[in-house]
Amino acid sequence: MRKLLIVALLAAFAVPASAATLGLNFVGGQDDTNASLFPGDSITVEVTWTTTDVNDGSPGMIAMAFNLTSSVQDGAAGLQTPDPGLSIANITAGPANWNAGGVETTLGGGAQFAVFASPADAITTPGTTVLGTFDVVVEPGAALGLHQFYIHRNAAAFSPDPVNSVGASYSFNLGGDGYSGQFNIGNGFAGKNNGSDAIPMNIDVPEPAALALLALGGIAVLRRRS
């Protein structure tokens, strides 16, 4: 019985006390990770930061920056893979008094989301915060079919990079079971070093036949209303 109690106590101490999660969500898609867009259209993506314990936010996170890639994680190469059919635009910061940065260009070709604040405006409370948004634009010449993208993780460049107000940084928890001071990636996770367990953001550019059917459906609805 005593041995069982000791094992239980050790297990309790081994369980992470808290966790933080970085993630992406489509605004107005079919759901958080799926959207269907025509060439020339765009959709807004929310960047969220969720903490489940005050220890994850204290003394406060004041910056987040990451590049975007169209391929799953490759631990050997660590490369950005451009998708000329997608680009990002209109990067905005979510919390009051935060500022937006980053690079608005081809997705995987240097596209970067970045927001930052002063220590006085650090995120210190548990819960979900929308750090900011960016638009994904489907270029007029985009290939039809499925396009996927992820948060690029590059250990050499320390990306994704959330920085707290004392100059130390949260680090991405490769194991996927985050604890105080570290974080996981939810939607938009490019996978472990071998690309497994990835959670892609999916944009489907419909085939011409599907576009025609959607157009006919719209015409039928207009006729019924008239």
Side-chain angles (χ1 to χ4, degrees):
M1 182 70 182
R2 181 177 296 177
K3 288 182 178 179
L4 289 175
L5 180 61
I6 292 172
V7 170
L9 287 172
L10 289 173
F13 282 115
V15 172
S18 54
T21 303
L22 172 68
L24 306 177
N25 297 305
F26 284 130
V27 178
Q30 284 97 319
D31 53 41
D32 286 345
T33 59
N34 293 279
S36 182
L37 298 175
F38 303 148
D41 283 351
S42 65
I43 189 167
T44 298
V45 177
E46 286 183 339
V47 180
T48 60
W49 176 253
T50 300
T51 59
T52 57
D53 187 282
V54 69
N55 292 326
D56 284 318
S58 179
M61 197 264 283
I62 62 168
M64 170 60 73
F66 55 81
N67 287 6
L68 291 153
T69 180
S70 60
S71 63
V72 296
Q73 186 70 23
D74 183 337
L79 298 177
Q80 292 280 291
T81 302
D83 181 344
L86 301 179
S87 62
I88 72 167
N90 302 322
I91 299 171
T92 66
N97 302 320
W98 279 51
N99 300 291
V103 180
E104 297 178 353
T105 186
T106 303
L107 195 149
Q112 181 190 72
F113 172 85
V115 290
F116 56 94
S118 68
D121 297 307
I123 298 170
T124 59
T125 56
T128 296
T129 300
V130 177
L131 295 178
T133 65
F134 60 89
D135 291 344
V136 177
V137 180
V138 179
E139 299 296 334
L144 302 178
L146 183 64
H147 295 253
Q148 296 181 315
F149 65 93
Y150 310 84
I151 295 170
H152 181 60
R153 177 166 56 81
N154 182 350
F158 200 69
S159 172
D161 186 10
V163 183
N164 71 25
S165 59
V166 294
S169 298
Y170 288 91
S171 59
F172 169 66
N173 181 20
L174 182 60
D177 51 356
Y179 53 90
S180 183
Q182 293 195 333
F183 72 97
N184 301 314
I185 301 172
N187 295 341
F189 178 41
K192 298 175 182 177
N193 276 346
N194 61 3
S196 64
D197 299 327
I199 308 175
M201 301 295 288
N202 303 300
I203 292 181
D204 180 56
V205 180
E207 300 289 336
L211 293 176
L213 287 174
L214 288 172
L216 288 173
I219 292 171
V221 170
L222 289 174
R223 284 179 175 172
R224 287 177 186 173
R225 289 180 177 174
S226 61

